[in-house]
Amino acid sequence: MKDEFWTRGVLGLAKRMIIGVDIGGTTIKVALLDELGNIIAKTQIPTPVPEGEDAIIHQMAATIDQLMEEHGFSKEETYGIGIGVPGPVDIETGFVYEAVNLGLKDTALKAKTEALTGLPTYVENDANAAALGEMWCGAGRGTDNLIAVTLGTGIGGGIIIDGKIVHGVKGVGGEIGHVTVNPDGPLCNCGKKGCMERYGSATAIILGLEKAAMEGRSMYLAKQLAEKGSLTAKDAFDAAAEGDSAAQEVIDQAAFYTGFGLSHIANLLNPAKIVIGGGVSAAGDVLFKLIRKSFDTYTWKIAAESCEILPATLGNDAGVIGAGWLVKQAQVM
Ligand SMILES: [Zn+2]
């Protein structure tokens, strides 16, 4: 059975498909995957957030139907649907406690999707889904003890121990962005002070740049801000490459606190890999070296030496692939 499965998969002759969905505040991404996590086809639609939860679920289901039809797959040839959503989830029941960006609260997403599509459905938090995607097909391949971190508008995270996501009792396990890295630090959206997210996210970096520009500490950034009206995290790295010391300071601080926050996770969990994605991670080596330096300073030597820190490789596809993994784990293996 297993041999047959792998052979069919490798030859690309898989007869049954997996559907991976990533519902974000802006778009709903839907992908048709084979049993190895290869994307056969994908599409996306705008998320109808103002129209409410039923519209979101109906339009998602319609998009799934359309994609399957376009590529000649029937429901009988589909294992099921995996969905990632931006908020805490009860994975047993597929119940979404809250997804602020989607306007969902206490939504029976699994039950409603199954009723509409007739396909078994599995729901997971989107950052956790991205972590599973990287484990299955990305930079995390080869280990089942890894941490995935997304440095984007905020900082998302997923913790996988022995192949399983750590959810905790209310689905907020793995919220790495809210690890406190400075008890006297700036206020975070979560209501606490000094969260890692307030230093390592794109939002935090941009705030640091704007402050430097407005306080007259960087002519370069002040000029950029005046010309463009706003700054991006990429501007920090461009300015630093030009020798701008204020931008370098912002980057140093972001990397220091990110590495410091990750050291706590590594000291607790001893992962084999920490996979870092999101817009900020595009800065590459410059950033990774600084994070590594801080991480090594605060991580117990054995844990530090046994942990690779790597860029994520799946980009925006990590979510749909990881959502597909939920189906594979439940239905295929
Ligand atoms: Zn926070």
Side-chain angles (χ1 to χ4, degrees), residues 18-323:
I18 291 169
I19 292 160
V21 181
D22 184 0
I23 309 183
T26 315
T27 59
I28 299 176
K29 299 183 180 71
V30 179
L32 219 50
L33 308 162
D34 69 12
E35 294 160 334
L36 295 179
N38 298 305
I39 293 180
I40 306 302
K42 61 179 174 178
T43 187
Q44 63 180 52
I45 57 163
T47 313
V49 176
E51 293 164 51
E53 76 172 48
D54 284 341
I56 292 174
I57 298 168
H58 273 91
Q59 292 191 27
M60 172 190 70
T63 307
I64 291 170
D65 281 347
Q66 199 186 343
L67 193 65
M68 290 200 313
E69 201 186 310
E70 277 171 19
H71 293 273
F73 286 96
S74 67
K75 285 193 172 157
E76 291 68 39
E77 292 164 315
T78 305
Y79 285 108
I81 303 170
I83 307 175
V85 288
V89 165
D90 180 329
I91 51 148
E92 296 300 323
T93 57
F95 187 83
V96 180
Y97 292 113
E98 186 165 28
V100 179
N101 293 343
L102 304 180
L104 301 187
K105 192 161 171 54
D106 299 332
T107 302
L109 184 57
K110 174 183 165 75
K112 288 192 171 186
T113 305
E114 286 180 342
L116 264 181
T117 62
L119 287 167
T121 300
Y122 308 88
V123 182
E124 180 55 277
N125 166 269
D126 60 353
N128 290 342
L132 290 168
E134 289 291 340
M135 176 183 76
W136 190 15
C137 300
R141 213 195 283 237
T143 181
D144 54 6
N145 282 287
L146 74 141
I147 312 295
V149 185
T150 309
L151 306 179
T153 311
I155 294 185
I159 294 174
I160 302 175
I161 299 297
D162 298 332
K164 290 203 164 60
I165 287 282
V166 174
H167 291 100
V169 74
K170 276 284 181 183
V172 296
E175 283 290 347
I176 293 164
H178 300 288
V179 167
T180 305
V181 291
N182 179 2
D184 301 317
L187 196 64
C188 180
N189 289 335
C190 74
K192 296 197 298 109
K193 276 184 179 175
C195 294
M196 188 169 140
E197 178 166 303
R198 293 299 289 107
Y199 294 96
S201 65
T203 310
I205 291 173
I206 292 164
L207 271 175
L209 296 180
E210 288 176 351
K211 196 158 176 273
M214 290 190 291
E215 288 173 358
R217 284 184 283 120
S218 165
M219 290 310 291
Y220 181 98
L221 292 170
K223 189 163 169 275
Q224 293 281 313
L225 184 58
E227 278 171 12
K228 300 193 293 184
S230 63
L231 296 169
T232 65
K234 187 175 180 296
D235 289 327
F237 295 93
D238 291 346
E242 296 286 327
D244 188 279
S245 61
Q248 188 62 52
E249 227 171 85
V250 172
I251 293 168
D252 287 347
Q253 180 170 269
F256 172 82
Y257 283 114
T258 302
F260 182 55
L262 292 176
S263 77
H264 303 324
I265 319 287
N267 284 323
L268 277 176
L269 301 172
N270 187 202
K273 292 182 180 183
I274 296 176
V275 175
I276 304 180
V280 177
S281 73
D285 261 7
V286 181
L287 176 71
F288 278 75
K289 277 186 183 146
L290 291 169
I291 292 175
R292 181 85 225 188
K293 189 172 164 225
S294 167
F295 177 82
D296 284 346
T297 306
Y298 298 102
T299 306
W300 189 31
K301 197 161 179 278
I302 299 173
E305 285 174 357
S306 54
C307 182
E308 288 182 273
I309 300 181
L310 301 164
T313 56
L314 299 180
N316 289 334
D317 291 335
V320 289
I321 293 174

